[in-house]
Amino acid sequence: QSILAMNVDATVERLEPDAQIHHADNPPVVGREAIRAFLKTFSNYHVTAYRLDADKTIVTGATATQHGTYHQDVTGPDGKPIQVDGVFDAEWQRDADGRWRIARMHNNSTQ
């Protein structure tokens, strides 16, 4: 829901403090504050549909890995629609409070 609402703060709260996100071969963006600043660069884009489908999830103790596909319908700053499809790999960590947070997310669009 935070993606659809473009709620950067709620999205960042779901991350480990030293989380990494990166797209394709770009260098990773590391840490909540750097990720927050990066995500805010997309404030003129509006996600109208978002789907994340995990094909495989492996849980080992307090860590989990996922692989799957994603789809986004986005309205660009110019008002034109954009469709983005791709694959993702995620690593999750369960904190002491029992909440799962993303430690690493890598995606690659397939267009």
Side-chain angles (χ1 to χ4, degrees):
Q1 289 179 326
S2 63
I3 299 291
L4 287 172
M6 298 297 286
N7 185 335
V8 170
D9 293 328
T11 299
V12 169
E13 183 60 30
R14 295 173 187 221
L15 304 173
E16 285 291 312
D18 59 349
Q20 297 181 26
I21 63 169
H22 54 108
H23 176 75
D25 294 329
N26 295 324
V29 180
V30 180
R32 283 183 178 162
E33 292 313 309
I35 293 169
R36 182 186 321 276
F38 172 74
L39 293 176
K40 285 186 176 189
T41 67
F42 296 95
S43 64
N44 290 327
Y45 292 81
H46 300 282
V47 178
T48 57
Y50 180 71
R51 190 179 72 244
L52 195 70
D53 297 314
D55 298 327
K56 181 164 89 171
T57 302
I58 299 170
V59 179
T60 307
T63 62
T65 58
Q66 285 184 309
H67 174 79
T69 59
Y70 68 91
H71 171 83
Q72 292 181 344
D73 291 331
V74 179
T75 302
D78 58 3
K80 293 183 181 177
I82 304 165
Q83 289 190 342
V84 183
D85 292 289
V87 296
F88 76 92
D89 289 289
E91 294 176 11
W92 296 78
Q93 183 70 42
R94 185 173 49 213
D95 288 341
D97 64 4
R99 292 182 66 183
W100 287 93
R101 297 186 191 280
I102 295 171
R104 187 182 74 80
M105 174 71 80
H106 178 260
N107 65 34
N108 196 8
S109 56
T110 55
Q111 286 92 325

